[in-house]
Each structure stands twice: as C-alpha cells, then as structure tokens.
Amino acid sequence: MNRALSAMDQTLANTAMNTISGVDVDDEASDDGGDIESIKSLLCDYLDGITENPSTSPEDDDQSKAFGDLLAQWVAHWRKNGDYGTLVYMLVDRNEEYKDRELGLKALEAGDRRKAHFLEARCRQRSICLYLAKIRSTIDCRVEKRLEPKIAISLHGICELNGGSLTDKEIRLETESVIQAKSFTDKRFREVDSQKSYPTPVDGTSPLATVNTRVSEGWALLMVPEGHKLRFLTDNANAADLNIWIARQTELIQTQNGKLEDAEQKTRWALARVCKTQINNIRSFTYGSNSSDPKKPVALETVIHASLKLQDTILLQDALTVSPRELPLTLWEEIGSNLDLRRFSDYQNGINQALVQIHSFQDRYIVLQSILSGYKKIDPDTESQPLQLWISDKIEDALREIRQVEENDGRILATIGAKYGKDFLNKKAIPFAKKSGSHHAFALAFAIQLYDEGASKNIDTEIAKSGIREVLSTTFPMITIRSATTHIKHPIVGLETLRDANHSPQSRWSVSPDCLADLLDCCINLNLKEEEFRILQQLWLETSSADAEALQYFFLPFVKRLRQIMQDHNISPSTRNYPNYLFLFQQTISMFIIRYIGKEPFLPVNAALPYMGCGKQKIYCHGCSDLDDFLQHPEGLAGDIIGNGEMREHVKSRLLHGELCSPTHVGYLDSKTILTGTEPSNPEAVHTLRVNKWFTRPIIPEYAWKQRVYAANDMIQDIAKDEEWKLLLGDKYDECMQLRAVML
C-alpha cells in the first residue's frame, strides 16, 4: 500500500488521541505558547550541541526534560495561534556528503544520527511526528534584488526515519518554519555575495544565459504535531492517493442513525476534512498536470459519494459547484436516491447553485429528471410532490436564465409543454420558443415535436397548430440553411451520444434537410398552407445562391425526401399547389448541374518538358544544350539540332521513350533526321535532327471533370429515374436533361 495512504490511515486510527478539531491534547503543555522565536532559538542551541562525541551532548535528564518542555510550548503555541504547524531543523554543512545518498536514518552521519534519535524520543513523548526530508533553498541573484534578497525554501522526498516514502510532492515552506532560519539565510546570502557582485556573461555568452538563481540542497528533520498530521498529509498528498483513501473510508463509515460513537464522529470529521482538501485540489488551475491525477469527474464523484454518506450538505454543495456539467447522470440519480424530503431544503441550495452553471436547457432538464428518477427508485410509491414542485420551478428558472439554445432543447421543451399542460405551453413554452426563433434548428425541432405531441393526443391539435404558426412567424423571415458560428457547450458526461446524434459541430447547415422535410410534412398534415408555401419559397431562394457543396449535401437529400412527401400526400400535376414543388425541383437540378459539374475545362498546353541532355556545357556538347533549350520552351513543339552523325546519335540516345508529362498535359517525343548536306552516306556530314513534342490529353482537370459528371449522374438517378423526372421537372425536363446530356 502507498506510504502516504498508510500514514493517513494510521493518523485516522489515532484520532482517539485528538479532539474533533484535530488539535493535539497535551496535559503537560502550557496554555501559553510563549515566544516562538525564543523557543526556536533554544531548540536550535540544544540540537546544535549534540555531536558525535557523547560527552559534549546535552542528553542528561534535566536537559532532556527542558528540551521536551520547549517542544510542548511550541505545540501549545500552534494550538493557540494556528501557525507554525511544522518546524524544520536543517542538517547543515552536510550537502556534499548527502548529495548521492538515499534518504534515510542509516544514511546520516554519526552526529546527525544522534540528533535524530534524541529528537525522535522527545517527539514521541509529546505526540509529535518526526520525518526526514530533502530541503531546497533558492535565492534570487538578479542585480536588482541584491538590496532586498529573496529566498524560497521547499521540502521534497519526505519519508519516515526508516526510509519509507511519505510523499513525493514538493512542499513550499515558510522561512520562519526553519529553526535556524536567520543563521541559515544569512549564510546563504553571504555565499551569494562572495561571488561577483554583478554577474557578467563570459565571452560569447548572451546576458540572458547568466545565472539568476542559486540553488542549494540538503537534508532536514521535519516535526509535525500529531494533531496537525492529518491536515499536513492531506494538504500535501497526491490527488490520486486522496481519491483512493476517500473511497475506502466512505465504504467503512456507518450510515448515521441516531447518536454516533465518539470514534465514529472523529472518523467522519477526518473524512470531511480530506474531502475539502481534494475539492481545493480539483479547483486548482494546475489540476491534471500530473499524469497520476484522476479525471476530474472521477475525483468529484468520489467526494460526492462521501458527502452523501456523511449527509454533509455543505460539503455536497462545494463538490457539486466545482464542475457540474462534467458529472455523470448516474451521480445525479444517486443524489436523488439519497434525498430525505424532510431535509430537502438543506440540499436545495447546493443543487440550485450547480444547476445555474449548466447552460443548456436540455441538460438541466435531464439532470432534474435524473434526480427524480433516483428518488423514485427507492420506493416508486413514495410521496414526491415537493420534489415535483421544485422541478417545475427549476424549469421555469431555466426558461428565464438560459440565453443560448440548441436543437434538442426544442424537442425537450415541447415534450415538457405537453406534460405540464395548456397553461404552461401558452404562457411559458411557446413564448420562449418564439423568442428563441432565430436559432432555426431549435425552432423547427420545437415545431415538429409539438406536432408529434398533438398527433399522439398528448395535447389538443389546435394548440399544436397555433403554436407552430406562432413560432414559424418569427423564424421564417430570417431562416437560412447557412450555419452561423455558435458556441458549442461542453455536454454533461453521459449526454455525448444524445448530442452527437442530433448536433454535429462540423455541419455547415443551420438546419438539416430531414428537419425541413419533416416540418413541411407537418404543415401539410395540419393544413398550414401559408407555412407550406413559405418553406418551398425559402428553399427556392436559397438554391439561387447555393454553392456546389450545398446543392450536393443539402438540396439533393431534401428533394429526395420531397419526392416521397409528394407521393404520400398525392401531390400531382392536377393539385393546386403542384407548381410550387415543380419549380423547386427545376431550380435545384439545373443549379446542381451547372455548379457541381461546371463547364468542360479547356487548358492551354504548357509544352515544357524535363531536361534530357547529358549536362555538359555547350562548348563541349552543343547538341544536348540545344535539346534542353527546346525541351524547356513552353511553346515550342518542334526543334532542330544540327550536327554530324555522331552528334545526332548521341542526342537521339538521350531522348526518353514512352509517356512524358508537361505541367499541364501528357505526351511523347519522336525524332527524324532531315538531310541537308550533299553527302548522305558520310557520317561526318552535317544534317538536321528534328525532334517533335506530341501531347495527347490534359493531366488532371479533364479527369476530375469527368469524375464529377459520372458522380452527378449517379446522384440524380438515385432520386428518380428518367420517366419520373419528366413529371418532376415538367416543361423544363428537356432543358435540364439536355444540359446534363451535353455535359455527359
């Protein structure tokens, strides 16, 4: 088991020696702590007098009792004033000897070991814990600090005298806690002053590279009163160790039923004390920088389990308000299952403060329902009216407080409205949805869910109809499929799946094509003619400015759904509203073909090809030099190299065969000799070698364009076949399909 956890367990086991407040009880200690500086000075004199030679050491009974009395006065001072909870005696002048040794009693030099044994015996008599530690002092050496030097002291590697590790955490120490503080700091400042008063960089070294601090390390003896030990250990323990300890102690404590035994009270006090320390750890901005730190929700869950077992509502409030959005839903259920409605007011404040930090309406509602679910799990028939009334108040609070909404909030709000009835819908839910109508996904989700509630007979159909009309009256003057930049909130743990299924932060669209299609279907079912026309009109306007991506990923899926809606509602050329649908199909398909496929690309040829010559200078090989000049010319398609037979053969050997690529096209080379001299058979005769560039096709644009053509054809055919397109496009069929056919 970890040494820090063992020490905490041992401290808890010894709580019978301490009061509930954690203060050490010492009958021999004076109520007056005395002057702490005098106490430190006398302690220092005693300990400095202990050397390797027993005859010179102050260890007789009288001196030993006097030393014990000094320790008792120190403990009394701490108990009365709350400061100097630790004292440190530095084992000075041993830095070099101890530098490479493993910290422990056996590693001490003889004189220091005698001091440790002497101090251990006297500390044990006075209920004081004694540890070994490494001590580090750092002095600021910058010139501007010389007149007022600063020293920082810290402990690390604290261990029992037998060498067992207690904590690895570095602990900042007040200089006054060091028994030899004045003599030690004076000595350290003299060491620095003995060096150059104004440190200057050596040759070639930047001034920024000069040493600004001086660090010294050594060993020390650390004294902690037994009553302060638990706080000292918990304040300086790793978060992971505390998490394990809290979880274990929570399982061991008893559920409070009536008066508790004294030992149980002290155990509960100690657990609450450690939980508060852990909450402070979690609140720290450095939490999580240590890889061993448990995840924040895990650490909080452990503390909340303990606070519920302790029935400590203040501790519960502190834990809940650290980061309520990160708590798992099961934990809110556990809170509900531990509620005693007779003491519900004690819990309300903490839960209310946590809810205020949850800025999503959906998340607040789910938390409230989780608490109610947990409460009913204990006994489904238990009276829960006070809890239900409180939840109703919290929902109304959310409608007043929340400024940003999401798509799922619309669904949840309509569901709540159906549950709470006509008055809530008309006075709370619908006005809130109308006010938030600028968030299009929220408004549409609310309208669709309201329709579903009416279709399911949970609310009157006329209420659903009027509510949809009111919300859409605000939404449609502003609606657009283009997504505005919105703040994506961090969801409660456990809600990620629900969020991801309905809300994609990567989406470009403010509403989904399926959502608009569902809304259109609702309007047709409710005979909302004006709203039906507005949807079709708005989408037609959007297609005129939509880019290829919007047409492919939004409008094509929408018209595919639209075709099904038309079939479901028997919308055909004979129906009055058919032209509105026809026009949208015509606009969508024609814009898609133009903007997705585009015109067949024409790319001017860049005839430049890679060098193929031998690389020699022109005075040594003018044939290859002329060849390379021709190959690199961006417009030259034929080039002549003049030379004798050897030169011509040399140039021909340098020509690459097969396909070659210019910056724009794929082609090849050929060559032939043109006789220009009078002696064709003479190899020394000068003739012309003609090299030709031939280009067969563009490299990329044509290929990419053809791929778009094939893809567009597949997408159009996926919506409907040609015979059906004739009905859907009407008199524009030939125009649209001719446009497509020309491109294909």
Side-chain angles (χ1 to χ4, degrees):
M1 186 185 294
N2 185 292
R3 295 288 302 187
L5 295 180
S6 299
M8 289 168 65
D9 288 337
Q10 184 62 42
T11 303
L12 188 56
N14 294 336
T15 50
M17 301 171 60
N18 309 322
T19 65
I20 292 297
S21 64
V23 176
D24 180 58
V25 177
D26 189 340
D27 292 336
E28 298 182 37
S30 167
D31 289 335
D32 183 6
D35 176 36
I36 191 66
E37 292 301 326
S38 299
I39 294 170
K40 285 166 52 183
S41 178
L42 291 171
L43 287 173
C44 183
D45 290 343
Y46 272 106
L47 291 172
D48 286 348
I50 301 176
T51 64
E52 298 176 9
N53 185 354
S55 63
T56 63
S57 300
E59 298 185 53
D60 59 64
D61 291 341
D62 290 340
Q63 289 178 317
S64 178
K65 185 179 184 307
F67 187 87
D69 289 343
L70 287 173
L71 291 177
Q73 289 180 51
W74 161 52
V75 172
H77 175 93
W78 161 73
R79 185 173 59 208
K80 180 180 179 181
N81 300 294
D83 57 357
Y84 291 94
T86 57
L87 282 184
V88 174
Y89 178 77
M90 301 182 64
L91 303 176
V92 294
D93 302 324
R94 299 288 190 185
N95 294 5
E96 289 302 317
E97 291 94 328
Y98 292 155
K99 184 170 62 174
D100 299 321
R101 297 184 190 180
E102 184 177 349
L103 190 65
L105 187 63
K106 293 180 180 179
L108 294 176
E109 294 292 320
D112 289 340
R113 194 180 308 119
R114 293 190 71 239
K115 291 176 182 179
H117 283 307
F118 173 82
L119 193 54
E120 181 185 24
R122 278 68 196 169
C123 285
R124 191 183 303 116
Q125 293 171 358
R126 299 291 174 173
S127 298
I128 297 171
C129 304
L130 183 66
Y131 305 108
L132 264 174
K134 292 181 180 180
I135 188 166
R136 179 185 293 123
S137 60
T138 305
I139 294 183
D140 192 335
C141 299
R142 288 175 293 181
V143 173
E144 63 270 21
K145 299 292 184 181
R146 285 302 180 88
L147 296 177
E148 196 175 337
K150 300 292 184 183
I151 185 169
I153 301 177
S154 62
L155 298 176
H156 60 103
I158 301 174
C159 69
E160 308 276 3
L161 292 185
N162 61 12
S165 176
L166 193 68
T167 177
D168 295 325
K169 187 174 180 180
E170 184 167 352
I171 301 168
R172 294 293 300 272
L173 199 66
E174 295 293 334
T175 308
E176 292 76 14
S177 296
V178 179
I179 289 177
Q180 314 100 306
K182 189 174 188 311
S183 60
F184 169 72
T185 52
D186 288 347
K187 179 182 177 183
R188 291 286 285 118
F189 291 145
R190 284 196 302 273
E191 289 174 1
V192 173
D193 286 335
S194 66
Q195 300 160 3
K196 292 182 179 180
S197 298
Y198 297 92
T200 57
V202 297
D203 293 342
T205 304
S206 166
L208 294 177
T210 58
V211 177
N212 288 329
T213 57
R214 299 286 177 182
V215 179
S216 175
E217 294 204 0
W219 290 10
L221 293 166
L222 168 67
M223 292 174 281
V224 183
E226 184 71 42
H228 185 58
K229 181 180 176 182
L230 181 66
R231 178 172 182 175
F232 178 78
L233 289 174
T234 55
D235 286 351
N236 298 298
N238 291 322
D241 292 340
L242 291 182
N243 192 63
I244 296 170
W245 190 87
I246 292 169
R248 190 171 64 234
Q249 291 300 321
T250 301
E251 292 179 3
L252 295 177
I253 66 170
Q254 303 171 10
T255 302
Q256 185 170 352
N257 291 311
K259 188 176 181 181
L260 296 170
E261 296 292 332
D262 188 52
E264 175 69 12
Q265 282 185 306
K266 293 171 183 175
T267 302
R268 296 168 75 89
W269 169 84
L271 178 57
R273 176 68 184 80
V274 176
C275 285
K276 289 174 184 176
T277 300
Q278 186 73 317
I279 290 173
N280 291 334
N281 287 338
I282 298 169
R283 289 186 188 277
S284 169
F285 71 92
T286 60
Y287 187 81
S289 58
N290 189 332
S291 59
S292 67
D293 289 347
K295 298 289 186 184
K296 187 182 289 187
V298 174
L300 284 172
E301 189 172 354
T302 304
V303 173
I304 290 171
H305 284 319
S307 66
L308 292 172
K309 192 78 173 285
L310 293 168
Q311 298 181 10
D312 188 333
T313 56
I314 301 299
L315 182 61
L316 177 65
Q317 176 178 320
D318 289 344
L320 285 178
T321 53
V322 173
S323 188
R325 289 178 295 176
E326 296 187 60
L327 299 178
L329 294 178
T330 52
L331 192 58
W332 293 105
E333 285 189 9
E334 184 180 347
I335 291 170
S337 65
N338 282 272
L339 285 180
D340 180 352
L341 292 188
R342 292 171 298 181
R343 296 183 57 215
F344 184 51
S345 58
D346 296 338
Y347 290 89
Q348 278 188 34
N349 192 42
I351 299 174
N352 290 347
Q353 289 189 35
L355 288 172
V356 170
Q357 296 183 45
I358 299 173
H359 304 300
S360 161
F361 181 80
Q362 171 193 225
D363 291 351
R364 278 207 205 179
Y365 179 71
I366 291 175
V367 165
L368 292 169
Q369 289 301 112
S370 297
I371 293 172
L372 179 61
S373 174
Y375 181 78
K376 291 202 166 194
K377 274 183 181 178
I378 304 303
D379 184 356
D381 298 325
T382 303
E383 171 59 39
S384 60
Q385 187 177 6
L387 191 58
Q388 297 273 18
L389 291 173
W390 172 75
I391 290 175
S392 178
D393 288 342
K394 293 300 105 183
I395 290 172
E396 293 190 16
D397 287 347
L399 294 178
R400 285 192 297 270
E401 295 166 0
I402 289 175
R403 296 291 178 265
Q404 289 183 323
V405 291
E406 296 177 328
E407 182 176 349
N408 276 336
D409 295 340
R411 297 188 183 93
I412 293 288
L413 181 58
T415 303
I416 295 171
K419 178 180 177 181
Y420 282 89
K422 180 179 178 181
D423 282 350
F424 181 87
L425 264 174
N426 290 331
K427 295 178 181 179
K428 304 291 183 182
I430 293 174
F432 180 83
K434 190 174 180 180
K435 181 182 70 174
S436 306
S438 58
H439 191 295
H440 307 141
F442 163 83
L444 269 57
F446 176 82
I448 293 166
Q449 187 64 35
L450 204 59
Y451 167 80
D452 289 342
E453 296 295 340
S456 302
K457 307 299 182 184
N458 295 326
I459 59 174
D460 185 85
T461 305
E462 287 303 314
I463 293 177
K465 188 173 180 178
S466 63
I468 292 172
R469 184 178 284 122
E470 275 200 61
V471 173
L472 295 187
S473 68
T474 304
T475 303
F476 267 104
M478 303 177 290
I479 196 167
T480 174
I481 69 163
R482 295 175 182 83
S483 177
T485 302
T486 56
H487 174 66
I488 304 301
K489 296 182 278 292
H490 299 289
I492 293 177
V493 175
L495 295 178
E496 293 91 341
T497 304
L498 181 61
R499 292 287 189 87
D500 293 344
N502 298 284
H503 183 87
S504 172
Q506 291 77 26
S507 174
R508 283 186 57 195
W509 326 123
S510 64
V511 293
S512 71
D514 281 339
C515 185
L516 267 177
D518 289 341
L519 181 66
L520 180 64
D521 192 44
C522 294
C523 291
I524 296 171
N525 287 325
L526 293 173
N527 199 31
L528 293 170
K529 298 292 185 182
E530 183 179 348
E531 285 70 22
E532 175 191 357
F533 173 73
R534 277 183 167 185
I535 294 171
L536 297 172
Q537 181 189 49
Q538 185 65 34
L539 287 171
W540 174 79
L541 292 171
E542 290 278 344
T543 56
S544 62
S545 59
D547 58 19
E549 186 181 15
L551 288 161
Q552 177 185 355
Y553 293 109
F554 186 92
F555 286 97
L556 286 189
F558 178 80
V559 297
K560 187 175 182 179
R561 281 287 312 275
L562 191 61
R563 168 179 163 269
Q564 185 61 49
I565 290 172
M566 292 172 70
Q567 290 177 350
D568 293 343
H569 294 281
N570 297 317
I571 298 173
S572 64
S574 61
T575 56
R576 184 180 60 83
N577 57 349
Y578 183 75
N580 299 330
Y581 292 84
L582 184 71
F583 200 36
L584 182 56
F585 272 104
Q586 292 171 346
Q587 180 82 345
T588 300
I589 296 305
S590 61
M591 289 297 102
F592 172 68
I593 290 172
I594 292 171
R595 289 179 184 152
Y596 180 80
I597 298 176
K599 293 182 179 180
E600 184 172 5
F602 170 76
L603 190 65
V605 175
N606 182 336
L609 292 173
Y611 292 117
M612 298 181 194
C614 63
K616 294 181 181 179
Q617 294 182 11
K618 189 165 187 173
I619 59 173
Y620 299 112
C621 186
H622 73 84
C624 282
S625 178
D626 291 344
L627 173 66
D628 285 343
D629 288 344
F630 161 66
L631 292 174
Q632 279 290 290
H633 199 289
E635 297 177 359
L637 298 177
D640 293 338
I641 291 96
I642 301 172
N644 60 21
E646 183 181 359
M647 173 62 73
R648 294 195 304 275
E649 290 302 317
H650 171 66
V651 171
K652 287 170 72 174
S653 72
R654 302 299 303 176
L655 297 177
L656 297 176
H657 299 287
E659 287 191 340
L660 301 169
C661 290
S662 78
T664 59
H665 286 69
V666 176
Y668 63 93
L669 295 172
D670 68 8
S671 64
K672 64 179 180 179
T673 300
I674 300 173
L675 300 178
T676 56
T678 57
E679 304 177 56
S681 60
N682 182 0
E684 297 301 321
V686 176
H687 299 291
T688 299
L689 179 68
R690 176 157 292 172
V691 181
N692 295 300
K693 301 176 185 175
W694 302 99
F695 293 99
T696 57
R697 66 183 189 277
I699 294 177
I700 295 175
E702 182 186 62
Y703 173 78
W705 177 80
K706 284 185 177 179
Q707 290 299 106
R708 290 200 303 274
V709 171
Y710 300 141
N713 186 50
D714 291 341
M715 285 184 269
I716 291 172
Q717 291 299 318
D718 183 56
I719 296 172
K721 303 305 178 187
D722 279 339
E723 288 302 315
E724 196 171 353
W725 275 120
K726 290 179 181 179
L727 292 174
L728 295 174
L729 296 174
D731 59 359
K732 295 286 186 179
Y733 171 79
D734 290 335
E735 182 181 330
C736 290
M737 292 301 110
Q738 182 184 17
L739 181 62
R740 186 179 61 139
V742 169
M743 295 303 174
L744 290 172

